[in-house]
Amino acid sequence: GAGVSQSPSNKVTEKGKDVELRCDPISGHTALYWYRQSLGQGLEFLIYFQGNSAPDKSGLPSDRFSAERTGGSVSTLTIQRTQQEDSAVYLCASSSEAGPNNQPQHFGDGTRLSIL
Amino acid sequence: GESVGLHLPTLSVQEGDNSIINCAYSNSASDYFIWYKQESGKGPQFIIDIRSNMDKRQGQRVTVLLNKTVKHLSLQIAATQPGDSAVYFCAPVSGNTGKLIFGQGTTLQVKP
């Protein structure tokens, strides 16, 4: 079956531009997560969605970062006025359940963002 | 905050040998743990998970051991193959949001 799909796979943009990253989770998965992975590092949590609401935005590094999810499915992560330190791989994951009966998260292959 | 540490950043093994990758976590309230494998240019791939009411779980060629007393997990890979070469992460799940806490991973290199 289809896994988590992210687009674009690569994005190169100039400093100061806005970028929008897209995530299509596994069908039926209610929980959706965004993470960021810098070169050679582990993953850093950004935001968690349950349905269309985001009960945990604690990982967003600044107010230049925002995310939304519509129809309980597709999510977009927007970075405004990009800076060079935003360069990283942005990974999306989804799971069928989060809470007392947490289920495994399944990841997409990420968007590699390079800020010139 | 919560943290995850892996004992060795790199592990090199001979093809056919068994591999053991270790992981320590800081939050004694963690009750669910997932091991992921990440190949270059790919997202993390689910390998196996374990809940805190268990101390051992087996999959195909992999076994995860959990020691809650010392907050330690290990991933054992039997008969390691070249295709097992990757970075391995253990990820405790934090609270009811299910967010994963990642350390820096262990790179497994399999020598032919």
Side-chain angles (χ1 to χ4, degrees):
Chain A
V4 176
S5 177
Q6 291 188 246
S7 61
S9 53
N10 285 282
K11 177 74 176 178
V12 180
T13 192
E14 292 179 346
K15 176 182 169 181
K17 301 284 190 185
D18 297 353
V19 295
E20 196 171 272
L21 312 179
R22 177 187 167 105
C23 172
D24 268 287
I26 293 171
S27 178
H29 279 194
T30 57
L32 185 147
Y33 304 81
W34 284 97
Y35 295 86
R36 177 168 74 172
Q37 186 172 33
S38 301
L39 190 63
Q41 302 296 311
L43 280 71
E44 171 192 12
F45 167 79
L46 298 178
I47 188 169
Y48 155 63
F49 285 93
Q50 180 60 242
N52 290 338
S53 65
D56 189 348
K57 306 179 185 180
S58 63
L60 295 178
S62 77
D63 59 8
R64 297 186 295 104
F65 287 72
S66 62
E68 64 175 15
R69 188 179 185 195
T70 54
S73 181
V74 171
S75 176
T76 54
L77 176 68
T78 300
I79 310 173
Q80 294 179 308
R81 306 180 301 283
T82 51
Q83 304 293 313
Q84 287 185 331
E85 62 262 27
D86 299 334
S87 296
V89 177
Y90 289 81
L91 289 152
C92 176
S94 69
S95 111
S96 60
E97 187 170 350
N101 190 32
N102 281 306
Q103 296 299 311
Q105 292 176 34
H106 298 274
F107 285 82
D109 285 336
T111 293
R112 184 175 300 275
L113 177 63
S114 300
I115 310 299
L116 302 178
Chain B
E2 295 183 57
S3 66
V4 173
L6 281 144
H7 296 183
L8 286 173
T10 303
L11 176 65
S12 186
V13 301
Q14 205 69 38
E15 181 179 356
D17 286 353
N18 297 334
S19 304
I20 299 176
I21 300 171
N22 294 302
C23 174
Y25 61 95
S26 65
N27 187 353
S28 56
S30 297
D31 61 3
Y32 181 47
F33 306 85
I34 308 177
W35 280 96
Y36 286 95
K37 170 187 179 183
Q38 188 175 28
E39 296 172 292
S40 181
K42 302 273 193 181
Q45 176 189 352
F46 171 85
I47 303 173
I48 192 168
D49 58 357
I50 189 167
R51 300 190 189 270
S52 59
N53 61 351
M54 304 174 72
D55 52 21
K56 179 179 180 178
R57 190 160 190 224
Q58 290 184 290
Q60 187 176 12
R61 283 200 306 119
V62 295
T63 301
V64 55
L65 300 178
L66 172 62
N67 185 329
K68 295 179 288 294
T69 303
V70 295
K71 293 184 283 187
H72 181 273
L73 290 113
S74 66
L75 178 71
Q76 302 176 3
I77 304 173
T80 314
Q81 301 169 359
D84 295 327
S85 295
V87 180
Y88 289 80
F89 296 95
C90 80
V93 175
S94 176
N96 283 338
T97 65
K99 71 184 180 186
L100 301 170
I101 308 299
F102 283 83
Q104 298 206 1
T106 288
T107 299
L108 177 64
Q109 298 172 338
V110 182
K111 297 178 286 187

